[in-house]
Amino acid sequence: MKKTIGLLCVIALLGALLVPGTGTAMGAVALTEVDTIGVMPSDYVGTLTIESVNTVEKDYPSAQAFPSQGVAVLPNGDVVVCDTGYGRIHVLSADLVHKRVIGSLGSGRGQLQYPADVAVDSAGNIYVADFFGNKVVKYGNDGSVVMEFGKEGKGAGQFEGPAGIAVTPDGSIWVADQLNDRLEQFTATGTWVTTVTGISRPAGMTSAGLFPYVVSSGDSAVYRLSGRKAVRVFAAPGEAENLITSAADLAVDAHGNIYVADRGTGQLPVPAVKVFSSGGQYERSLGQYPADMTDIQDGEVLSPGGVAVAPDGMVYVMNSGFFRDATNPFGSGYHAKLVEYAPGGGVVAVQDYAIDVRGRLNNPQDVAVDGKGQLWVVCSSPVISADGQTIEWNRGYVDVLDRSGNELFTVMSAGSRLMQLVESVAASGAGLVYVAAQDARGGFIAVYDEAGNYVRTIAAGKVDGTGDLETASDGTLWACNQGDGSVVHLAADGTELGRFATAGMPGGLTVLSNGDLLVCLWGESSEVQQVVRYSSTGVVIRVFGAAGGGRGAGQMYYPHDAMLLPDGLILVSDAENGRFVAFRQDGSVAWTTTRSWYLPGRMTWSAQGTLYVTDGFHNVIREFSYGQPGAPQGTAVTVRLDTVEHAVSAGATTRFQVSLRNRSARTDTFTVKSIVRGGSGWSSSVSPARVTVLSGATGTVVVTVQVPVGLTPGTVGDVDVEVRSALDPASITTVHAQVVIRTAPPVVVGGVSFETFMGATVQVPLDARDAENLYGAGCRVTYDGKALQFVSVAKGDLLGTDTLFIENHGTAGEVRVALTLKGDAQPISGNGSIAVLTFRALEAGTTQLDIDELQLLGGDGGRQALAGKARSIPVRVLAEHARTVLVLRVGLPTMKVGSSSIVLDAPPVIVEGRTLVPIRAVVESLGGTVVWDAASQTVTILLDGTRLKLIIGKSSALVNGKSMPVDSTNSKVVPQILNSRTMLPLRFVAESLGADVQWEGSTQTITVTYPKP
């Protein structure tokens, strides 16, 4: 009973709502977005979906805009990437560790609809071109909204699909106004300066030195802006590895080389980041189309939507998923990922953003609310053909969510029949839910109870391509039958009661209380695109909207659904115009919203009297209020988990973030409890356990779950979170999550970058991360002998000291290493190094160590092959040998760093004739890092490839995995905790890191010079 049950809410609210007036189109709108359901956690970079969107409307031909997903590098080396799924911007570290998120999905100030490109300035400000928002947003380095400008139009300073943005050193902001075929220049304050025309469908932009660059998706050319003139650098149209098929973005490195993110959506799939010289000569590609679509490798790409190059030559590429067809691209975030490549093309780091994780809505096309208030959301996942040429949406399912929007369970089959395509859903309100689906045998309707149990199948062969399905108040069903362009009336048991043809393809319908129907009709862009009110026998009563698609008053593009509002207006989701249109009963337009939503689809009333609307483009459900309904005086809370499932290793600690949105008109205090059901050994806690939340505000608590050791993969701990309201202590809202014991993840070997100086030696640990039950490891490391000279190789610390280590460096340009435990030793879990390689840097620039032939053994018995992933290790060699000089004095709590001074936590002291200092300030001043593990009282120091591990009270330390005495002449010289401060022997630490230490006894002054002269 998706919409007819909502009519009861309509009647109840009639007197309480503000009736829109009949004045100006915009002033009368009383539709307000109040929530978004399905947004993934803050560290998840979302991607758009295009399955039913048509992008070839004559007045808004946006096909060349998909997918665009810009990337930029901040002055501090952090990486910025656009989130086109959830309308936000993510900031990650240079090695792709998530740091923070900026913005949110919407049309308000600082919100984003389709952030297509991003740029940064020297102060760390972030600039975003919002394609569907038709605006530019500037965020401060702290994420605050500094300014935004632009609106839809063709005039000066207006936009129709801004797809690229660049900021030059003088503060000028350049915007690629794609659908207007032009570039626009603005001042640093957003004032329009000039327009540059003559560029066909300009896409991504960047700046290099004083000049902005833009790539054209219309003619596959790269342009450089010189003054107010666009100078073509080169053009390379075509479908080949060295040509540009469908350009999305570009970047320019320090040498003038040009990197073009080519989506490769033509007949020949050739996606890659293609590198051209400054004069346009093709040089190489980063990433390539997968050789095997069933085994896609980390460095392979399907549809790269953004690219950026860091000053050190590292290349960051956002693969936006898989999209096909250059003229009308369809696709999704299938295998979406952010990849860091070394300059030579090796993969350094990868962040995957899988679309099949629990809680992610994939292409939601319909929604219904059952008698429990649960949301049944029709979804579909893409299936790629074996040859990689086509994408089909024939993996349908229904995600069932609780009232707060948390996933409860998924429905994927109807008895023995798989639902290859799920098209629509309706709820009866009497405990049954109807799902219209297709399989190889044809169309049918599957019936379920509200717990998701399959009941029966009806109407097999009577429905075909059910675009929408509704229940009437008498318990019968109505279906939009797109197979033959008809509306079908069915009894509850599937018996056909009637059928009538429609003037176009029926795309959505609503059953009115008197039995009449509102049916959305589609056609080509010049046909139909209207809503028709029919009698139950198919007699036309009224037509709403002008015939033919368009964006003018009363025109629509693919209206997806129509609803009767409480005040008697008829609301239509004008899908591909990204807006809503309200008609009076006589067919005239009452009001039209701005183009603030893309893509509004099917609609239904919630149990609270709000309106749910599907958004397949952003993979979310939007919730709207209409008029001015007052907030309830009693308890009303939305309890939303950041994720409904964590996959972790046995013995781990994991956390769920729980948001408590107070929808009551009154302040409320919530008491939160958590319970884990999974057997003995599980425990959980909530912090804080009580939180007071103002009306309309959101509070947050964290549920921490401790997982027992020794659990086998696949074991599940069920987490129940109970929220009790102080306004109504009898009101308890419970949400559910799961902790799943994962199988061991692949062991990642390599991937950590290093920096040194020309002529210096550098120690490069061959790091292994995420090892679980590892017994032995081996691999080959290759390097460029012109850039690096091999010096030595030593055993790493990953497996401890009682190990067998083998190495072979007899072949120029490669080193083979193997490290294994002995005999019946128990496999090891954790992080550490397999080996430590030492090189001398021969020439300036960024080179890399590549790892292959990786072999890993472990598991039960230590003899099973383990999965692993090899990562390249970038080595940046600086030409200048800059040195840092530190001066300390015993008893003084300050330290000179060059010409500056800093305050120490504690003054240096002399113990056992050796100087001990608070080491963090010393190491960080040299550019290193210090990590303190309180549990083991261990200090780990990292600086330019050297790793030290010291333990409080221990007279020996590990230097790159090798045990060394802290002081060879006095075993009493050890790290200590003095006055609650960790103090380490300065000379041992500094000299182990490669620094020179000088002692002036008369003044008790220590001078540290790094690197050693």
Side-chain angles (χ1 to χ4, degrees):
M1 188 179 292
K2 190 169 75 178
K3 294 164 189 167
T4 53
I5 195 170
L7 292 175
L8 300 177
C9 300
V10 169
I11 295 169
L13 291 171
L14 270 172
L17 297 179
L18 174 67
V19 178
T22 58
T24 62
M26 300 305 169
V29 177
L31 193 66
T32 304
E33 186 170 3
V34 296
D35 199 4
T36 307
I37 296 170
V39 176
M40 292 295 285
S42 60
D43 61 351
Y44 184 97
V45 177
T47 49
L48 59 87
T49 296
I50 301 180
E51 182 270 333
S52 61
V53 180
N54 188 298
T55 58
V56 294
E57 289 91 348
K58 293 174 183 176
D59 58 357
Y60 208 76
S62 56
Q64 288 164 316
F66 307 116
S68 294
Q69 196 162 5
V71 185
V73 178
L74 285 162
N76 67 353
D78 286 348
V79 181
V80 182
V81 60
C82 295
D83 183 328
T84 58
Y86 306 114
R88 52 194 186 183
I89 303 297
H90 297 265
V91 180
L92 300 91
S93 67
D95 53 355
L96 303 189
V97 176
H98 196 272
K99 299 179 77 171
R100 65 185 188 277
V101 66
I102 298 170
S104 62
L105 182 62
S107 57
R109 179 174 170 80
Q111 292 186 305
L112 303 168
Q113 293 189 59
Y114 178 17
D117 199 12
V118 61
V120 300
D121 63 21
S122 59
N125 297 305
I126 298 171
Y127 302 75
V128 181
D130 186 352
F131 189 93
F132 284 129
N134 288 301
K135 65 182 181 181
V136 168
V137 182
K138 177 183 177 181
Y139 301 97
N141 194 29
D142 60 355
S144 61
V145 180
V146 178
M147 70 172 179
E148 64 177 42
F149 59 86
K151 63 178 182 179
E152 185 176 353
K154 299 181 181 298
Q158 297 177 331
F159 305 120
E160 286 193 347
I165 190 166
V167 180
T168 53
D170 65 358
S172 293
I173 303 168
W174 287 85
V175 181
D177 187 11
Q178 187 172 98
L179 303 188
N180 283 326
D181 291 318
R182 66 187 184 183
L183 303 180
E184 294 194 276
Q185 181 187 9
F186 299 84
T187 66
T189 58
T191 301
W192 177 82
V193 176
T194 191
T195 297
V196 177
T197 58
I199 301 175
S200 175
R201 297 293 186 258
M205 296 191 71
T206 191
S207 62
L210 301 176
F211 302 103
Y213 285 73
V214 63
V215 65
S216 163
S217 59
D219 59 9
S220 299
V222 171
Y223 296 84
R224 181 180 68 249
L225 276 295
S226 180
R228 298 186 178 184
K229 182 178 180 182
V231 179
R232 178 181 286 191
V233 179
F234 70 93
E239 295 183 5
E241 292 183 354
N242 62 337
L243 300 175
I244 302 171
T245 303
S246 177
D249 197 12
L250 85 165
V252 179
D253 68 17
H255 304 289
N257 298 309
I258 300 170
Y259 299 68
V260 177
D262 184 0
R263 296 171 286 212
T265 53
Q267 293 297 315
L268 181 65
V270 284
V273 171
K274 300 174 181 180
V275 187
F276 299 84
S277 68
S278 59
Q281 181 69 34
Y282 172 79
E283 295 184 342
R284 66 188 189 281
S285 292
L286 299 175
Q288 61 183 6
Y289 197 69
D292 181 356
M293 292 296 289
T294 64
D295 185 24
I296 298 175
Q297 302 300 304
D298 284 341
E300 295 175 329
V301 296
L302 296 165
S303 299
V307 61
V309 182
D312 61 0
M314 307 305 295
V315 184
Y316 298 92
V317 178
M318 184 65 209
N319 183 67
S320 300
F322 181 68
F323 290 76
R324 301 298 298 141
D325 189 345
T327 59
N328 195 19
F330 289 88
S332 78
Y334 179 80
H335 276 277
K337 58 190 173 185
L338 182 60
V339 186
E340 178 188 6
Y341 295 95
V347 175
V348 177
V350 179
Q351 282 289 352
D352 292 297
Y353 304 105
I355 64 172
D356 57 357
V357 293
R358 283 196 62 194
R360 187 189 192 277
L361 300 176
N362 285 300
N363 188 37
Q365 290 296 300
D366 199 4
V367 59
V369 177
D370 67 17
K372 295 180 179 179
Q374 298 173 154
L375 285 73
W376 291 63
V377 185
V378 168
C379 297
S380 59
S381 294
V383 177
I384 312 303
S385 62
D387 61 5
Q389 295 296 309
T390 59
I391 181 171
E392 299 291 342
W393 297 89
N394 58 356
R395 188 176 294 162
Y397 61 96
V398 179
D399 255 343
V400 182
L401 317 179
D402 64 24
R403 286 172 177 255
S404 292
N406 304 293
E407 181 186 295
L408 293 171
F409 55 86
T410 300
V411 174
M412 302 187 69
S413 62
S416 61
R417 294 181 79 163
L418 292 178
M419 297 186 292
Q420 294 178 341
L421 182 63
V422 181
E423 298 167 298
S424 54
V425 61
S428 68
L432 296 179
V433 179
Y434 301 86
V435 177
Q438 302 272 133
D439 65 7
R441 290 183 282 170
F444 61 95
I445 296 173
V447 187
Y448 302 86
D449 65 22
E450 292 176 342
N453 299 305
Y454 169 73
V455 177
R456 61 182 177 272
T457 293
I458 63 173
K462 297 182 175 64
V463 291
D464 179 23
T466 308
D468 199 4
L469 180 68
E470 301 298 340
T471 57
S473 57
D474 60 3
T476 61
L477 302 171
W478 290 88
C480 289
N481 204 59
Q482 296 182 344
D484 63 0
S486 68
V487 172
V488 184
H489 191 198
L490 302 166
D493 63 0
T495 302
E496 184 171 327
L497 301 176
R499 180 187 302 253
F500 62 85
T502 56
M505 179 182 289
L509 66 84
T510 287
V511 185
L512 300 179
S513 58
N514 67 349
D516 288 350
L517 308 173
L518 295 174
V519 182
C520 300
L521 299 182
W522 301 344
E524 297 301 322
S525 59
S526 59
E527 302 172 2
V528 197
Q529 310 296 349
Q530 294 171 302
V531 175
V532 179
R533 181 169 183 168
Y534 290 100
S535 71
S536 60
T537 58
V539 176
V540 176
I541 298 172
R542 181 79 64 192
V543 176
F544 302 89
R551 298 171 67 206
Q555 291 182 306
M556 294 174 284
Y557 268 134
Y558 293 88
H560 264 53
D561 214 346
M563 298 287 288
L564 180 66
L565 292 174
D567 51 21
L569 296 181
I570 294 170
L571 182 71
V572 180
S573 55
D574 184 7
E576 297 195 22
N577 279 327
R579 66 187 182 185
F580 295 89
V581 181
F583 293 93
R584 302 181 184 89
Q585 293 286 344
D586 62 5
S588 61
V589 175
W591 47 260
T592 304
T593 68
T594 57
R595 298 184 68 251
S596 299
W597 301 278
Y598 200 89
L599 177 93
R602 306 241 157 71
M603 304 182 285
T604 192
W605 292 103
S606 74
Q608 304 86 249
T610 54
L611 192 64
Y612 290 135
V613 183
T614 63
D615 179 347
F617 185 89
H618 293 104
N619 302 298
V620 297
I621 302 294
R622 298 177 185 263
E623 183 181 1
F624 295 85
S625 66
Y626 183 67
Q628 294 180 333
Q633 292 298 310
T635 183
V637 60
T638 295
V639 182
R640 188 161 300 157
L641 299 161
D642 63 337
T643 181
V644 294
E645 182 178 287
H646 278 307
V648 301
S649 301
T653 300
T654 189
R655 294 173 177 84
F656 295 90
Q657 181 172 296
V658 185
S659 298
L660 309 173
R661 182 177 179 186
N662 183 12
R663 295 193 179 214
S664 172
R666 301 159 60 192
T667 296
D668 202 349
T669 297
F670 301 102
T671 302
V672 185
K673 293 172 52 180
S674 63
I675 302 171
V676 185
R677 295 175 287 109
S680 62
W682 292 83
S683 64
S684 67
S685 61
V686 180
S687 179
R690 288 172 58 88
V691 59
T692 299
V693 185
L694 299 176
S695 173
T698 300
T700 302
V701 302
V702 175
V703 175
T704 301
V705 178
Q706 180 61 53
V707 183
V709 299
L711 298 179
T712 58
T715 302
V716 176
D718 292 303
V719 183
D720 297 334
V721 181
E722 296 181 353
V723 178
R724 187 184 297 269
S725 163
L727 292 178
D728 181 5
S731 173
I732 299 176
T733 301
T734 303
V735 296
H736 309 279
Q738 288 187 326
V739 178
V740 180
I741 305 304
R742 66 185 182 185
T743 56
V747 180
V748 178
V749 178
V752 179
S753 61
F754 292 88
E755 188 175 281
T756 189
F757 298 94
M758 192 166 61
T761 58
V762 59
Q763 293 181 319
V764 182
L766 191 59
D767 281 328
R769 301 186 298 282
D770 299 328
E772 291 190 13
N773 294 323
L774 181 68
Y775 187 88
C779 65
R780 182 179 72 156
V781 181
T782 57
Y783 60 94
D784 181 358
K786 295 180 180 180
L788 297 173
Q789 178 187 13
F790 175 77
V791 176
S792 64
V793 60
K795 178 173 65 174
D797 63 358
L798 175 63
L799 299 181
T801 57
D802 190 19
T803 55
L804 176 65
F805 179 67
I806 302 172
E807 64 89 8
N808 184 336
H809 59 272
T811 302
E814 70 175 49
V815 182
R816 293 178 182 270
V817 297
L819 181 68
T820 180
L821 295 169
K822 297 178 182 179
D824 294 330
Q826 291 299 307
I828 300 296
S829 298
N831 302 322
S833 59
I834 299 171
V836 179
L837 293 83
T838 302
F839 296 92
R840 179 170 288 106
L842 301 180
E843 62 181 19
T846 300
T847 186
Q848 67 192 52
L849 309 182
D850 291 319
I851 301 167
D852 60 10
E853 300 181 16
L854 181 62
Q855 293 183 313
L856 302 162
L857 294 176
D860 293 337
R863 300 297 186 271
Q864 301 174 13
L866 302 181
K869 292 187 175 184
R871 299 281 189 258
S872 295
I873 303 175
V875 180
R876 186 183 183 193
V877 181
L878 304 178
E880 296 183 2
H881 203 80
R883 289 184 171 86
T884 301
V885 178
L886 311 179
V887 180
L888 304 94
R889 189 171 177 179
V890 174
L892 291 182
T894 59
M895 176 178 70
K896 290 191 66 177
V897 183
S899 60
S900 302
S901 294
I902 64 172
V903 178
L904 300 173
D905 287 343
V909 297
I910 295 178
V911 178
E912 291 291 330
R914 296 292 183 264
T915 304
L916 273 61
V917 299
I919 204 64
R920 183 179 296 277
V922 173
V923 173
E924 291 181 349
S925 295
L926 299 179
T929 58
V930 178
V931 178
W932 165 250
D933 184 350
S936 62
Q937 292 202 309
T938 300
V939 180
T940 302
I941 299 171
L942 297 171
L943 176 62
D944 291 342
T946 300
R947 175 190 282 141
L948 309 183
K949 285 188 177 180
L950 301 96
I951 301 175
I952 299 298
K954 299 294 184 181
S955 61
S956 62
L958 291 178
V959 181
N960 290 327
K962 183 178 181 181
S963 181
M964 301 285 291
V966 173
D967 192 310
S968 59
T969 64
N970 186 353
S971 62
K972 294 182 180 180
V973 178
V974 295
Q976 299 186 34
I977 295 178
L978 302 175
N979 297 322
S980 301
R981 294 290 183 267
T982 302
M983 309 288 283
L984 303 189
L986 175 60
R987 182 175 293 276
F988 172 79
V989 173
E991 291 183 347
S992 297
L993 294 173
D996 176 72
V997 180
Q998 297 295 324
W999 165 257
E1000 174 55 54
S1002 62
T1003 60
Q1004 292 193 311
T1005 299
I1006 311 103
T1007 302
V1008 179
T1009 304
Y1010 179 81
K1012 182 190 301 183

